[in-house]
Amino acid sequence: MLSFLMRNCFLICSNCFLNCWLKLFSYLYSSRRHGCPSNRLSIMTKFVLIAALGAIASVSAAGPAAVNLGKAGNYAILSKAGISTVPTSVITGDIGVSPIDSTAITGFSLAEDFNNASSTSTQVIGSVYAANYLGGTTPADLTVTIGDMEVAYTDAAGRTPQEKNTVKVSTDLGGKTLGPGLYTVWGSVDISIDCTINGSSTDTWIFQMSGNLKMAANKRITLIGGALASNIFWQVAGFVEVEVGADMEGILLVKTKAVFKTGSSLNGRILAQTAVTLDSTTVTQPPQPHLGRILAQTADILV
């Protein structure tokens, strides 16, 4: 079975590669579930698989495994306690609240759709969802989505520092250039001046902190080398506060509130377990992670 899949991976056209790769991954995953872990595969088979995946991806992913957001990854902003804005904010992507209802979404002048499944706002390029929108499967979907958000937070918070991918850093990231890795801070993190995140489109960053995340006014995070906001995760046990005119990057997994002040912006997602407060803020959800990251992580399970 394995040799058949490998032959076809190289013979079919490149447009069919993803489907073939998924079949291969499914086979490997199934084998591991049924008592055939990857370390029982022959050394030659492992070598061929890793070489094939590496050649096709043409990348080497650095940093920890990405955090799986589940259905929460479909939202630009998600909150359990409410989302408010001082107009005019610009949000690209869906927003949602649960278990709180739509009365906790304020400042958006919502217009409910005809089937009571969602609403729209001139400040949202996407749809607005709430637990009291009873049309379709919205309440059930939001329950699952909020659960996925909480699981993602727990995953990010529970990553164990390892020497090979952990970076020791002070609590002020201002002025630093940050390569891929797991950053753990016991306390709060400040971004007092501009900082840079440097890496490829398949690299990953996880920032763990037991306190708050604060970004000073008019400061920015710059991504270089192909780094993607979708691969940057900020696990914040306290609150997030982005000051006036500051530009933030990445996925915010926040235990409490997130506050974005006048003219601030985020290329990423706000996934907060209490309230989100915006003031003429721009939030743009990033594209999904590069396929090469998935391929590289698949190769990792074989070694």
Side-chain angles (χ1 to χ4, degrees):
M1 173 65 174
L2 189 59
S3 61
F4 170 79
L5 287 172
M6 289 304 302
R7 283 198 304 271
N8 280 275
C9 279
F10 288 100
L11 291 175
I12 60 176
C13 67
S14 58
N15 288 335
C16 300
F17 163 70
L18 179 57
N19 182 57
C20 182
W21 174 82
L22 289 172
K23 289 180 181 179
L24 173 60
F25 182 79
S26 177
Y27 171 80
L28 292 172
Y29 178 73
S30 177
S31 296
R32 298 185 75 179
R33 288 187 59 196
H34 291 87
C36 181
S38 62
N39 60 10
R40 293 185 182 178
L41 295 173
S42 72
I43 294 176
M44 181 57 70
T45 301
K46 289 185 191 179
F47 176 80
V48 171
L49 286 171
I50 294 170
L53 290 173
I56 296 169
S58 299
V59 293
S60 178
V67 178
N68 183 2
L69 300 178
K71 288 192 173 183
N74 296 326
Y75 285 78
I77 304 177
L78 190 63
S79 168
K80 294 173 66 175
I83 305 170
S84 64
T85 181
V86 176
T88 302
S89 292
V90 179
I91 302 166
T92 302
D94 294 343
I95 70 173
V97 297
S98 180
I100 200 76
D101 63 27
S102 60
T103 58
I105 304 176
T106 60
F108 286 93
S109 301
L110 299 179
E112 192 173 310
D113 68 13
F114 71 94
N115 63 359
N116 192 34
S118 64
S119 61
T120 59
S121 167
T122 57
Q123 298 177 73
V124 180
I125 305 171
S127 297
V128 181
Y129 296 94
N132 63 317
Y133 291 161
L134 302 180
T137 60
T138 297
D141 288 345
L142 282 173
T143 297
V144 173
T145 301
I146 292 293
D148 286 349
M149 175 180 75
E150 293 172 333
V151 168
Y153 175 89
T154 301
D155 175 20
R159 297 298 179 92
T160 303
Q162 298 178 9
E163 191 65 30
K164 67 178 182 179
N165 66 2
T166 303
V167 182
K168 295 180 180 179
V169 67
S170 68
T171 57
D172 193 337
L173 302 183
K176 291 181 171 59
T177 296
L178 305 165
L182 176 64
Y183 295 77
T184 303
V185 176
W186 295 102
S188 296
V189 171
D190 294 312
I191 303 174
S192 61
I193 59 176
D194 293 354
C195 72
T196 302
I197 292 181
N198 180 20
S200 76
S201 62
T202 60
D203 294 341
T204 305
W205 296 255
I206 297 178
F207 297 88
Q208 300 172 319
M209 62 203 73
S210 60
N212 308 316
L213 173 61
K214 297 181 180 180
M215 189 171 190
N218 300 313
K219 305 309 176 188
R220 66 179 297 111
I221 295 175
T222 301
L223 306 185
I224 63 174
L228 296 178
S230 54
N231 289 333
I232 302 167
F233 303 90
W234 303 87
Q235 176 267 312
V236 185
F239 62 81
V240 170
E241 186 172 82
V242 179
E243 290 287 347
V244 173
D247 296 327
M248 185 69 186
E249 297 275 347
I251 311 302
L252 299 175
L253 297 165
V254 191
K255 187 67 172 179
T256 63
K257 66 180 180 178
V259 177
F260 281 73
K261 297 189 178 180
T262 308
S264 57
S265 66
L266 170 70
N267 177 29
R269 306 179 193 277
I270 308 172
L271 307 179
Q273 296 186 39
T274 61
V276 176
T277 302
L278 311 175
D279 187 344
S280 300
T281 300
T282 300
V283 178
T284 305
Q285 66 178 4
Q288 292 300 315
H290 195 283
L291 176 61
R293 176 71 200 183
I294 304 172
L295 293 173
Q297 287 182 209
T298 304
D300 287 344
I301 73 172
L302 300 173
V303 296

